[in-house]
DNA sequence: TGTCTATGTTGACGGTTGTCGATACAGATG
DNA sequence: CATCTGTATCGACAACCGTCAACATAGACA
């Protein structure tokens, strides 16, 4: 009976960083706190290997991929694992174990939010 | 007569990194080279101070601002200068000296390109 | 010319990051 | 149970990065 699990609600990092953050960069100056939050996401995509991993997951069918499908990016397996963890901590990916394999999935709302940050009012 | 100047065409870094780069992250996996290029821009926005500086310039009237208008972000003047240089090298800002002051301006096409990278087809 | 202000550069220091090999853990299968 | 495979963690190391004080440079103005 001690065998039930805590629901995977989302780690606090991801949950906090995602939802309400930030008007377009062109609308008004970001506050220090907003910048801190938002920079975390940009930083996560600021490494070539991580960006490729993210793109591999995002472009995979269903927006989700097994680690085994995407680990051919020229670095060792521990490094891949490390980068996927970083992407997860930044709230850009979520992961789920299904049997032997672990699947990573993009968080579409975050993608959209980051897009909004950059797109709207390309000039003001 | 030795007093003429080379036209400020744009430094090669900025010129090269900007134009044609990259389909939406969700469309297909980025190649290593594409990832290298694109990551440079995300990385530039991946520091809170730089992100604030960028936002300060982008949200300033005309999408341009004097250094003196934006240097109150809690770090020393050399640090501000350093970060502006990084943003420039990443192709996100351009600068121009006008008399005593130096003005930084956002590169709207780059902003739009980055937005496209993230927005289109939030899920595929 | 000299001086003042605005901005950039240099050099150094401490903290962070990307990487790997070794190892640990989880689930499947025998 | 043992073993095999897929993935995560650990520990270490070199490289990189953000920061500052000190100094350098550029233009304005007297």
């Amino acid at each position: 009976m001690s065998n039930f699990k805590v629901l995977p609600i989302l780690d606090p990092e991801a949950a906090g960083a995602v939802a309400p953050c930030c008007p377009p960069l062109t609308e008004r100056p970001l506050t220090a706190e907003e910048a801190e939050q938002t920079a975390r996401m940009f930083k996560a995509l600021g490494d070539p290997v991580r960006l490729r991993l993210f793109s591999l997951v995002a472009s995979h069918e269903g927006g989700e991929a097994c680690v085994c499908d995407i680990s051919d990016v020229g670095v060792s397996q521990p490094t891949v694992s490390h980068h996927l963890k970083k992407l997860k901590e930044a709230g850009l990916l979520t992961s789920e174990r299904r049997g032997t394999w672990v699947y990573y999935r993009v968080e579409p709302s975050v993608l959209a939010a980051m897009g909004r940050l950059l797109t709207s009012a390309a000039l003001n």
Side-chain angles (χ1 to χ4, degrees), chain A:
Chain A
M1 62 163 86
S2 59
N3 196 14
F4 67 100
K5 283 203 188 146
V6 175
L7 287 175
I9 304 283
L10 276 187
D11 54 304
E13 187 83 52
V18 170
C21 190
C22 301
L25 294 179
T26 53
E27 191 177 303
R28 62 161 174 77
L30 260 44
T31 68
E33 296 74 27
E34 290 172 334
E36 201 85 39
Q37 265 196 31
T38 308
R40 243 179 272 142
M41 299 195 278
F42 282 118
K43 190 176 191 176
L45 296 180
D47 176 87
V49 173
R50 268 195 308 265
L51 190 55
R52 284 186 78 191
L53 287 170
F54 184 82
S55 173
L56 277 160
V57 173
S59 64
H60 209 263
E61 67 170 285
E64 115 175 348
C66 169
V67 176
C68 59
D69 290 328
I70 60 175
S71 37
D72 195 21
V73 287
V75 294
S76 71
Q77 175 269 322
T79 301
V80 169
S81 196
H82 169 72
H83 283 309
L84 289 171
K85 185 180 183 180
K86 287 292 195 79
L87 287 166
K88 208 169 128 183
E89 287 172 350
L92 296 172
L93 294 180
T94 59
S95 72
E96 181 191 357
R97 172 155 225 142
R98 291 211 285 274
T100 304
W101 296 280
V102 176
Y103 291 82
Y104 282 80
R105 182 181 308 126
V106 315
E107 199 54 63
S109 64
V110 182
L111 242 191
M114 290 185 73
R116 241 178 293 121
L117 230 63
L118 295 169
T119 1
S120 29
L123 45 129
N124 64 335

